[in-house]
Coordinates of all heavy atoms in Angstrom, one line a residue:
I1 N 93.8 136.1 97.1 CA 94.9 136.1 96.1 C 94.4 136.7 94.8 O 95.2 136.9 93.9 CB 95.4 134.7 95.9 CG1 94.3 133.7 95.6 CG2 96.2 134.3 97.1 CD1 93.9 133.7 94.2
L2 N 93.2 137.0 94.6 CA 92.7 137.5 93.4 C 93.3 138.8 92.9 O 93.3 139.2 91.8 CB 91.2 137.6 93.4 CG 90.4 136.3 93.4 CD1 88.9 136.6 93.6 CD2 90.7 135.5 92.2
S3 N 93.8 139.6 93.9 CA 94.4 140.9 93.6 C 95.9 140.8 93.3 O 96.5 141.8 93.0 CB 94.2 141.9 94.7 OG 94.8 141.4 95.9
V4 N 96.4 139.6 93.3 CA 97.9 139.5 93.0 C 98.1 139.8 91.5 O 97.5 139.2 90.7 CB 98.4 138.1 93.4 CG1 99.8 137.9 93.0 CG2 98.2 137.8 94.8
L5 N 99.0 140.7 91.2 CA 99.3 141.1 89.9 C 100.6 140.6 89.4 O 101.0 140.9 88.2 CB 99.2 142.6 89.7 CG 97.8 143.2 90.1 CD1 97.9 144.7 89.9 CD2 96.8 142.6 89.2
G6 N 101.4 139.9 90.1 CA 102.7 139.4 89.7 C 103.3 138.6 90.8 O 102.7 138.2 91.7
I7 N 104.6 138.3 90.6 CA 105.3 137.5 91.6 C 105.6 138.4 92.8 O 106.1 139.5 92.6 CB 106.6 136.9 91.0 CG1 106.3 136.2 89.8 CG2 107.3 136.1 92.0 CD1 107.6 135.7 89.1
A8 N 105.4 137.9 94.0 CA 105.7 138.7 95.2 C 106.4 137.8 96.1 O 105.8 137.0 96.8 CB 104.4 139.3 95.8
L9 N 107.7 137.9 96.2 CA 108.4 137.1 97.2 C 108.6 138.0 98.5 O 109.2 139.1 98.4 CB 109.8 136.8 96.7 CG 109.8 135.8 95.5 CD1 111.3 135.6 95.1 CD2 109.2 134.5 95.9
L10 N 107.9 137.6 99.5 CA 107.8 138.4 100.7 C 108.7 137.9 101.7 O 108.8 136.7 102.0 CB 106.3 138.4 101.2 CG 105.2 138.7 100.2 CD1 103.9 138.6 100.9 CD2 105.4 140.1 99.6
F11 N 109.5 138.9 102.4 CA 110.4 138.5 103.4 C 110.0 139.3 104.7 O 109.8 140.5 104.6 CB 111.8 138.9 103.0 CG 112.3 138.1 101.9 CD1 112.1 138.6 100.6 CD2 112.9 136.8 102.0 CE1 112.6 137.9 99.5 CE2 113.3 136.1 100.9 CZ 113.2 136.6 99.7
M12 N 109.8 138.5 105.8 CA 109.4 139.2 107.0 C 110.6 139.2 108.0 O 111.3 138.2 108.1 CB 108.2 138.4 107.6 CG 107.0 138.4 106.7 SD 105.7 137.4 107.5 CE 105.3 138.5 108.9
S13 N 110.7 140.3 108.7 CA 111.8 140.3 109.7 C 111.2 140.7 111.1 O 110.1 141.3 111.1 CB 112.8 141.4 109.3 OG 112.2 142.7 109.2
C14 N 111.8 140.2 112.1 CA 111.3 140.5 113.4 C 112.3 141.2 114.2 O 113.5 141.4 113.8 CB 111.0 139.1 114.1 SG 109.8 138.1 113.3
G15 N 111.9 141.7 115.4 CA 112.8 142.4 116.3 C 113.7 141.4 117.0 O 113.7 140.2 116.6
N16 N 114.4 141.8 118.0 CA 115.3 141.0 118.7 C 114.5 139.9 119.5 O 113.7 140.2 120.4 CB 116.1 141.8 119.7 CG 117.2 141.0 120.4 OD1 116.9 139.9 120.9 ND2 118.4 141.5 120.4
D17 N 114.6 138.6 119.1 CA 113.8 137.6 119.7 C 114.1 137.4 121.2 O 113.2 137.1 122.0 CB 114.1 136.3 119.0 CG 113.5 136.2 117.6 OD1 112.6 137.1 117.3 OD2 113.9 135.4 116.8
D18 N 115.4 137.7 121.6 CA 115.7 137.5 123.0 C 115.0 138.5 123.8 O 114.5 138.2 124.9 CB 117.2 137.7 123.2 CG 118.0 136.6 122.5 OD1 117.5 135.5 122.4 OD2 119.2 136.8 122.2
E19 N 114.8 139.8 123.3 CA 114.1 140.8 124.0 C 112.7 140.5 124.2 O 112.0 140.8 125.2 CB 114.3 142.2 123.3 CG 115.7 142.7 123.3 CD 115.7 144.0 122.5 OE1 114.7 144.5 122.1 OE2 116.8 144.6 122.4
N20 N 112.1 139.8 123.2 CA 110.7 139.5 123.3 C 110.4 138.0 123.8 O 109.3 137.6 123.8 CB 110.0 139.6 121.9 CG 110.1 141.0 121.4 OD1 109.5 141.9 122.0 ND2 110.8 141.3 120.3
N21 N 111.5 137.3 124.2 CA 111.4 136.0 124.6 C 110.7 135.1 123.6 O 109.9 134.2 123.9 CB 110.6 135.9 125.9 CG 111.3 136.6 127.1 OD1 112.6 136.5 127.2 ND2 110.6 137.4 127.8
I22 N 111.0 135.3 122.3 CA 110.5 134.5 121.3 C 111.6 133.7 120.7 O 112.7 134.2 120.3 CB 109.8 135.4 120.2 CG1 108.6 136.2 120.8 CG2 109.4 134.5 119.0 CD1 108.0 137.2 119.8
Q23 N 111.4 132.4 120.5 CA 112.4 131.5 119.9 C 112.0 131.2 118.5 O 110.9 130.7 118.3 CB 112.5 130.3 120.7 CG 113.6 129.3 120.2 CD 113.8 128.1 121.0 OE1 113.1 127.9 122.0 NE2 114.7 127.2 120.6
A24 N 112.8 131.6 117.5 CA 112.5 131.3 116.1 C 112.5 129.8 115.9 O 113.4 129.1 116.3 CB 113.5 132.0 115.2
V25 N 111.5 129.3 115.1 CA 111.5 127.9 114.8 C 111.7 127.9 113.3 O 110.9 128.4 112.5 CB 110.1 127.3 115.1 CG1 110.1 125.9 114.7 CG2 109.8 127.4 116.6
P26 N 112.8 127.3 112.8 CA 113.1 127.2 111.4 C 112.1 126.3 110.7 O 111.5 125.4 111.3 CB 114.5 126.6 111.3 CG 114.6 125.8 112.6 CD 113.8 126.6 113.6
P27 N 111.8 126.7 109.4 CA 110.9 125.8 108.6 C 111.4 124.4 108.5 O 112.6 124.2 108.5 CB 110.8 126.5 107.3 CG 111.3 127.9 107.5 CD 112.3 127.8 108.7
R28 N 110.5 123.5 108.5 CA 110.9 122.1 108.3 C 111.2 121.8 106.8 O 110.9 122.7 105.9 CB 109.7 121.2 108.7 CG 109.4 121.3 110.2 CD 108.2 120.4 110.6 NE 108.5 119.0 110.4 CZ 107.6 118.1 110.5 NH1 106.3 118.4 110.6 NH2 108.0 116.8 110.3
L29 N 111.8 120.7 106.5 CA 112.1 120.3 105.1 C 110.9 119.8 104.4 O 110.1 119.1 105.0 CB 113.3 119.3 105.1 CG 114.6 119.7 105.7 CD1 115.6 118.6 105.7 CD2 115.2 120.9 104.9
L30 N 110.8 120.1 103.1 CA 109.8 119.5 102.3 C 109.9 118.0 102.3 O 108.8 117.3 102.4 CB 110.0 120.0 100.9 CG 109.6 121.4 100.5 CD1 110.1 121.8 99.2 CD2 108.0 121.6 100.5
S31 N 111.1 117.4 102.3 CA 111.3 116.0 102.2 C 110.9 115.3 103.5 O 110.7 114.1 103.6 CB 112.7 115.7 101.8 OG 113.6 116.3 102.7
E32 N 110.9 116.1 104.6 CA 110.5 115.6 105.9 C 109.0 115.6 106.1 O 108.4 114.6 106.6 CB 111.2 116.4 107.0 CG 110.8 116.0 108.4 CD 111.4 117.0 109.4 OE1 111.1 118.2 109.4 OE2 112.2 116.5 110.2
V33 N 108.3 116.7 105.6 CA 106.9 116.8 105.8 C 106.1 116.0 104.8 O 105.0 115.4 105.2 CB 106.5 118.3 105.7 CG1 105.0 118.5 105.8 CG2 107.2 119.1 106.8
E34 N 106.6 115.8 103.6 CA 105.8 115.2 102.6 C 105.4 113.7 103.0 O 104.2 113.4 102.8 CB 106.6 115.1 101.3 CG 105.9 114.6 100.1 CD 105.8 113.1 100.0 OE1 106.8 112.4 100.5 OE2 104.8 112.5 99.5
P35 N 106.3 112.9 103.5 CA 105.8 111.5 103.9 C 104.8 111.6 105.0 O 103.9 110.7 105.0 CB 107.1 110.9 104.4 CG 108.2 111.6 103.8 CD 107.8 113.0 103.7
E36 N 104.9 112.5 105.9 CA 103.9 112.6 107.0 C 102.5 113.0 106.4 O 101.5 112.4 106.7 CB 104.3 113.7 108.0 CG 105.6 113.3 108.7 CD 106.0 114.5 109.7 OE1 105.3 115.5 109.8 OE2 107.1 114.3 110.3
N37 N 102.5 114.0 105.5 CA 101.3 114.4 104.8 C 100.7 113.3 104.0 O 99.5 113.1 104.0 CB 101.5 115.6 103.9 CG 101.6 116.9 104.6 OD1 101.9 118.0 104.0 ND2 101.4 116.9 106.0
R38 N 101.6 112.5 103.3 CA 101.1 111.4 102.5 C 100.4 110.4 103.3 O 99.3 109.9 103.0 CB 102.2 110.8 101.7 CG 101.8 109.7 100.8 CD 102.9 109.1 99.9 NE 104.2 109.7 100.1 CZ 105.3 109.1 100.6 NH1 105.2 107.8 101.0 NH2 106.5 109.7 100.6

């Protein structure tokens, strides 16, 4: 991260998940993960 020179909001896109037999898993909620981490 030392080379980061500003804000970079990165968005990644994938091809057709059905064609690649990949099932997208949505990110979990912060409020759901925080108690587990704690």
Side-chain angles (χ1 to χ4, degrees):
I1 54 81
L2 289 176
S3 62
V4 176
L5 298 178
I7 306 175
L9 293 179
L10 308 180
F11 296 91
M12 299 180 66
S13 61
C14 300
N16 188 310
D17 289 343
D18 292 334
E19 292 179 2
N20 296 295
N21 296 317
I22 297 174
Q23 182 177 1
V25 179
R28 298 176 64 191
L29 295 174
L30 287 164
S31 56
E32 178 184 61
V33 175
E34 186 279 331
E36 297 175 4
N37 281 177
R38 184 177 355 119

